[in-house]
Amino acid sequence: MRGMKETAAGGQAGVAGTIKELDPQVIEVSTSGMEYPASKSDLISRAKESEAPQIVLDALDQFEDRQYSNPEDVKSEFLKIQQK
């Protein structure tokens, strides 16, 4: 399973050159298994553990420093960042 996660994340990251081009599903895959509520630093730690591409870490680094309730909350924050 771990190999599949890496392939999914890596494959998407190869296509995305910027955060605006990044598929929100890559964030979801990179933070899967996260226990909520989760802080920004929790999300970044989980993404690093799942060997997320640097573009995902860069996106998470731009998140507001607050508690996220669930994956939809994370996706919503990511979509706000993409619109900046």
Side-chain angles (χ1 to χ4, degrees), residues 4-50:
M4 287 175 34
K5 278 187 191 176
E6 289 173 2
T7 300
Q12 288 292 340
V15 172
T18 67
I19 290 171
K20 288 185 184 291
E21 298 169 342
L22 190 61
D23 185 331
Q25 187 175 5
V26 177
I27 300 289
E28 200 174 304
V29 169
S30 298
T31 58
S32 68
M34 188 84 246
E35 289 187 27
Y36 292 92
S39 67
K40 171 183 169 177
S41 63
D42 292 335
L43 294 169
I44 292 171
S45 293
R46 178 68 193 121
K48 286 179 179 177
E49 289 170 8
S50 70

